[in-house]
């Protein structure tokens, strides 16, 4: 009887570690050092370039929102799309960190050729680099396989735009089985990182086409952005902190700024004008940072499972930028 109970417990433990089609420690026997190699490399390099943490979590988001978390954002070319892959679509033109993922992939190929997917490397590196910024950790079950397709027009249509209103944002998230709570929590990643002017300068220079401003943006902040940062609407080189003064710290200040009408994008600001999202923002601000971290981590785990390819679908790419020939 005792042995039987132990077997049941063992089975439950195994089932408990399977998340959707992914599995905690998927590479445990096929490439036991895989997760450690990613973590060590991140620990070694991200402290010298802390802005990479923002780049990598954004890359993971953009990967997951198009064809699922399958490394499609990394492709330079596919036979179906030529070089019009997701990478060239406007939302991805400002995604950074591709060479970092390539270097990680080389290390993993040297350790266990053909075993660790590019999609998993992105998911693990995103988590490990955020931890290094002092931010939250979350579970990253693995076993994602890499996709064979990548298409610029899909990226343009499916990745939320900074100009989207709450209806469109809600729809784009719902299309990926994410709800309003996930939308608010995951937008919280804008507590770190930078933007380029064209993502928001319509709010400063020409909001409705008559040379006006977005009235929902704090006017002092708008003045500052115009006079000190984006002096012309189409400035493509200047970078602007999304959470000024705290862009390297993963904290709640992004939400506090939203309430001061200082969210940089229309999509940030939109979160304060829907009663459900506003209530949730207030709850986050009244709660502890630990609570935010827990909730954020759960939403990241959910995001990391969007449309994953497992089993025999897709492939394990040898080079993250091209499908295997
Ligand atoms: C809700 C819809 C979202 C919209 C409309 C949006 C839009 C943007 C835009 C326009 C930028 C700046 C691009 C540039 O001009 O350089 C940006 C940056 C960033 N986004 Fe989002 N985003 C959204 C959600 C998310 C999510 C879910 C995450 C991660 C979980 C995320 C993480 C980031 C990070 C970390 C940066 C800074 C990147 C860097 O420093 O290179 N965003 N986002």
């Amino acid at each position: 009887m005792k042995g039987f109970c132990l077997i049941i417990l063992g089975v439950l433990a195994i089932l408990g570690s399977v998340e959707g089609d992914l599995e905690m420690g998927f590479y445990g026997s096929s490439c036991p050092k895989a997760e450690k190699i990613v973590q060590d490399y991140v620990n070694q390099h991200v402290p010298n370039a802390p802005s990479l943490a923002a780049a990598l979590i954004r890359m993971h988001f953009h990967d997951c929102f198009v064809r699922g978390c399958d490394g499609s954002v990394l492709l330079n070319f596919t036979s179906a799309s030529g070089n019009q892959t997701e990478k060239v679509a406007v939302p991805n033109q400002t995604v950074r960190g591709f060479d970092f993922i390539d270097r990680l992939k080389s290390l993993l190929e040297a350790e266990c050729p053909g075993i660790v997917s590019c999609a998993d490397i992105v998911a693990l590196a995103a988590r490990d680099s955020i931890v290094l910024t002092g931010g939250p950790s979350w579970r990253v079950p693995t076993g994602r396989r890499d996709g064979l397709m990548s298409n610029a027009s899909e990226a343009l249509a499916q990745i939320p735009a900074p100009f989207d209103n709450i209806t469109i944002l809600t729809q784009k998230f719902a299309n990926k089985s994410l709800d309003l709570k996930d939308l608010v929590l995951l937008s919280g990643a804008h507590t770190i990182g930078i933007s380029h002017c064209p993502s928001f300068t319509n709010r400063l220079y020409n909001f409705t086409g008559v040379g006006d401003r977005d009235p929902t943006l704090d006017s002092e902040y708008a003045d500052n952005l115009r006079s000190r940062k984006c002096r012309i609407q189409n400035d493509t080189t200047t970078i602007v902190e999304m959470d000024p003064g705290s862009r390297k710290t993963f904290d709640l200040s992004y939400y506090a700024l939203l309430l001061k009408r200082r969210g940089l994008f229309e999509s940030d600001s939109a979160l304060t004008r829907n009663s459900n999202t506003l209530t949730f923002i207030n709850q986050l601000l009244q709660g502890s940072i630990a609570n935010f971290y827990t909730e954020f981590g759960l939403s990241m785990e959910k995001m990391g499972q969007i449309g994953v390819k497992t089993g025999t679908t897709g492939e394990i790419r040898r080079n993250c930028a091209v499908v295997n020939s």
Side-chain angles (χ1 to χ4, degrees):
M1 186 60 185
K2 199 174 163 193
F4 178 72
C5 288
L6 283 177
I7 291 171
I8 296 282
L9 281 176
V11 170
L12 285 176
I14 292 168
L15 286 177
S17 68
V18 176
E19 326 246 322
D21 289 328
L22 302 177
E23 217 177 289
M24 287 303 286
F26 177 81
Y27 299 109
S29 53
S30 58
C31 188
K33 291 192 192 149
E35 295 198 18
K36 179 86 169 49
I37 288 174
V38 174
Q39 191 184 31
D40 286 350
Y41 192 75
V42 166
N43 287 351
Q44 199 184 339
H45 294 283
V46 173
N48 304 324
S51 84
L52 262 178
L56 293 172
I57 196 173
R58 182 168 184 237
M59 179 191 287
H60 184 34
F61 160 51
H62 285 206
D63 184 27
C64 294
F65 262 59
V66 189
R67 295 190 167 266
C69 316
D70 70 344
S72 52
V73 71
L74 306 170
L75 288 169
N76 285 344
F77 185 86
T78 72
S79 49
S81 67
N83 54 11
Q84 291 302 300
T85 54
E86 291 169 31
K87 239 182 199 178
V88 304
V90 169
N92 287 328
Q93 287 172 6
T94 46
V95 171
R96 311 177 283 128
F98 294 108
D99 50 341
F100 189 80
I101 297 299
D102 287 341
R103 290 202 295 276
L104 269 170
K105 177 64 173 173
S106 305
L107 293 178
L108 287 158
E109 283 299 295
E111 174 74 16
C112 359
I115 300 290
V116 184
S117 70
C118 299
D120 275 343
I121 296 173
V122 172
L124 291 166
R127 191 267 319 271
D128 292 345
S129 63
I130 293 295
V131 169
L132 263 196
T133 68
S137 184
W138 56 88
R139 292 155 56 88
V140 180
T142 41
R144 296 168 188 78
R145 289 171 63 86
D146 297 321
L148 309 175
M149 306 274 291
S150 177
N151 192 310
S153 58
E154 292 176 348
L156 187 62
Q158 295 172 29
I159 294 172
F163 319 106
D164 285 345
N165 62 29
I166 194 74
T167 311
I168 298 176
L169 290 170
T170 307
Q171 191 56 55
K172 284 183 177 172
F173 271 63
N175 291 345
K176 307 296 164 190
S177 303
L178 297 175
D179 58 25
L180 271 187
K181 211 174 142 187
D182 298 313
L183 169 63
V184 173
L185 286 162
L186 295 174
S187 296
H190 289 173
T191 178
I192 54 169
I194 48 107
S195 169
H196 294 78
C197 298
S199 298
F200 59 87
T201 41
N202 66 318
R203 306 184 76 195
L204 310 178
Y205 289 96
N206 204 7
F207 190 57
T208 63
V210 291
D212 53 342
R213 289 183 182 191
D214 180 347
T216 68
L217 182 64
D218 173 70
S219 57
E220 195 184 324
Y221 185 41
D223 282 346
N224 261 320
L225 288 169
R226 265 179 77 136
S227 60
R228 304 213 175 134
K229 299 285 183 186
C230 310
R231 293 195 176 92
I232 51 165
Q233 186 170 358
N234 294 329
D235 174 345
T236 51
T237 51
T238 303
I239 53 169
V240 176
E241 306 166 279
M242 294 189 292
D243 183 357
S246 157
R247 81 165 153 117
K248 290 183 185 159
T249 353
F250 210 100
D251 55 17
L252 286 161
S253 61
Y254 163 78
Y255 297 109
L257 286 177
L258 292 188
L259 296 188
K260 291 183 184 157
R261 301 164 20 115
R262 291 184 171 213
L264 194 56
F265 308 136
E266 287 171 68
S267 58
D268 297 318
S269 150
L271 303 178
T272 63
R273 287 191 308 284
N274 166 283
S275 62
N276 293 323
T277 49
L278 178 60
T279 304
F280 188 48
I281 290 170
N282 279 311
Q283 280 168 5
L284 286 171
L285 282 168
Q286 281 149 22
S288 62
I289 186 80
N291 175 62
F292 168 50
Y293 280 8
T294 306
E295 298 252 32
F296 181 85
L298 291 172
S299 283
M300 282 304 298
E301 208 182 315
K302 214 166 147 187
M303 189 186 92
Q305 307 207 10
I306 297 172
V308 290
K309 299 176 172 64
T310 54
T312 53
T313 45
E315 63 179 10
I316 303 300
R317 239 176 260 154
R318 282 188 294 274
N319 171 347
C320 290
V322 279
V323 294
N324 297 341
S325 48

